[in-house]
């Protein structure tokens, strides 16, 4: 591998011990730290492959498993996922390795929806946000999976389309027109509710596969976040 993996545990404010990985490139300088919020399936061992291609372009990546995923303690609930994400941000902010880098939250799928909520609450602690392949709200994805009934019986709770309206840092939204898990229009819905500065990157290929096929383009768009007007 062209990068190292540091595995460790840290504590969420809900009391659960969470397993985290810090991925660092071996032979290149780092200008951006990505705090990665992964999707609803799998855990670190499978999820890291969806984001690790960006390591070659002066990025380092901190990722972790939510409560109930992989080796992390506790139960997987919406409340725990949000608490864990906020705790992960607190943890990474205290790491010396990120002091001279831009800190960007990169959320994919479930983590993309979550990232909008965390970014809104803690925007003074980050420099930018990337949302890839995210659903626009719990009710929207419920209605997509089970029409009518899904919208009625799914609890709304926090939602990306509401939170993103109050986020004012640079934003990059990525969504594939070929996404079979989360419809393309949901990514556009999040984007349309967002403030400037923002960029929408329309891609092809499978659900949250963009870093596998478009790593250089995504890297350049992230690095240009702070010059986009």
């Amino acid at each position: 591998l062209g990068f190292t993996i540091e595995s460790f545990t840290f504590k969420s404010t809900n009391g659960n011990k969470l397993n985290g990985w810090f991925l660092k490139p071996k032979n290149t300088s780092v200008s951006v730290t990505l705090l990665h919020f992964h999707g609803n399936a799998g855990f670190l061992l499978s999820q890291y492959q969806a984001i690790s291609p960006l390591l070659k372009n002066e990025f380092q990546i901190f990722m972790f498993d939510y409560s109930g995923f992989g080796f992390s303690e506790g139960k997987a609930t919406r409340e725990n996922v949000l608490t864990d994400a906020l705790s992960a941000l607190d943890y990474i902010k205290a790491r010396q390795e990120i002091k001279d880098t831009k800190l960007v939250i990169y959320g994919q799928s479930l983590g993309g929806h979550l990232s909008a909520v965390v970014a809104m609450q803690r925007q003074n602690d980050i420099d930018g946000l990337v949302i890839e392949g995210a659903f626009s709200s719990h009710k929207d994805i419920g209605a997509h999976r089970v029409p009518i009934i899904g919208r009625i019986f799914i609890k709304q709770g926090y939602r990306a389309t509401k939170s993103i309206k109050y986020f004012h840092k640079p934003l990059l939204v990525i969504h594939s027109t070929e996404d079979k898990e989360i419809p393309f229009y949901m990514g556009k819905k999040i984007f349309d509710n967002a403030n400037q500065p923002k960029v929408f990157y329309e891609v092809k290929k499978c659900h949250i596969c963009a870093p596998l096929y478009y790593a250089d383009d995504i890297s350049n768009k992230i690095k240009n976040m702070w010059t986009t007007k």
Side-chain angles (χ1 to χ4, degrees):
L1 296 177
F3 55 91
T4 61
I5 302 175
E6 176 192 355
S7 181
F8 53 88
T9 59
F10 65 99
K11 205 161 192 176
S12 175
T13 54
N14 57 28
N16 295 329
K17 287 184 180 179
L18 306 181
N19 182 211
W21 282 8
F22 207 156
L23 313 180
K24 302 175 185 177
K26 288 181 178 178
N27 299 308
T28 184
S29 59
V30 172
S31 60
V32 177
T33 300
L34 299 179
L35 172 56
H36 181 247
F37 296 164
H38 69 63
N40 190 49
F43 63 110
L44 291 181
L45 189 59
S46 57
Q47 290 284 354
Y48 89 95
Q49 298 173 72
I51 192 71
S52 58
L54 300 180
L55 287 162
K56 66 179 182 177
N57 292 323
E58 298 182 346
F59 292 87
Q60 58 185 1
I61 302 168
F62 174 70
M63 56 191 310
F64 67 99
D65 273 330
Y66 314 113
S67 296
F69 286 73
F71 293 106
S72 293
E73 297 177 341
K75 295 182 179 180
T77 67
R78 287 190 204 172
E79 292 75 16
N80 277 343
V81 165
L82 178 55
T83 300
D84 295 342
L86 292 167
S87 298
L89 179 55
D90 288 333
Y91 177 84
I92 194 62
K93 286 285 292 183
R95 294 278 302 223
Q96 188 63 36
E97 302 98 312
I98 79 156
K99 298 302 183 184
D100 297 320
T101 69
K102 296 286 190 182
L103 178 57
V104 175
I105 295 177
Y106 193 126
Q108 294 179 308
S109 194
L110 166 77
H113 179 267
L114 172 69
S115 68
V117 181
V118 174
M120 180 273 290
Q121 293 186 20
R122 300 286 300 277
Q123 57 189 301
N124 290 335
D125 292 323
I126 64 174
D127 297 294
L129 171 64
V130 182
I131 299 175
E132 181 189 348
F135 54 88
S136 43
S137 72
H138 290 102
K139 280 189 176 291
D140 284 348
I141 193 63
H144 171 70
R145 299 285 170 82
V146 186
I148 301 176
I149 295 176
R151 185 170 295 279
I152 294 172
F153 289 100
I154 293 292
K155 179 183 176 182
Q156 183 68 280
Y158 53 80
R159 62 186 188 273
T161 48
K162 179 179 179 180
S163 295
I164 205 67
K165 293 178 180 180
Y166 302 97
F167 182 70
H168 297 280
K169 293 287 183 72
L171 168 69
L172 170 62
V173 178
I174 305 169
H175 214 110
S176 171
T177 56
E178 300 174 0
D179 194 324
K180 297 185 184 306
E181 297 295 325
I182 298 176
F184 179 77
Y185 78 83
M186 291 196 187
K188 288 292 291 182
K189 189 174 181 179
I190 294 172
F191 181 79
D192 290 343
N193 278 277
N195 301 294
Q196 295 288 354
K198 61 180 179 178
V199 173
F200 190 88
Y201 185 31
E202 178 182 319
V203 297
K204 304 292 185 183
K205 307 298 182 180
C206 54
H207 179 57
I208 62 169
C209 290
L212 300 176
Y213 297 98
Y214 307 96
D216 290 343
D217 283 349
I218 292 172
S219 298
N220 288 333
K221 289 180 185 300
I222 293 174
K223 291 176 183 177
N224 289 332
M225 275 183 157
W226 302 280
T227 59
T228 301
K229 302 297 183 183

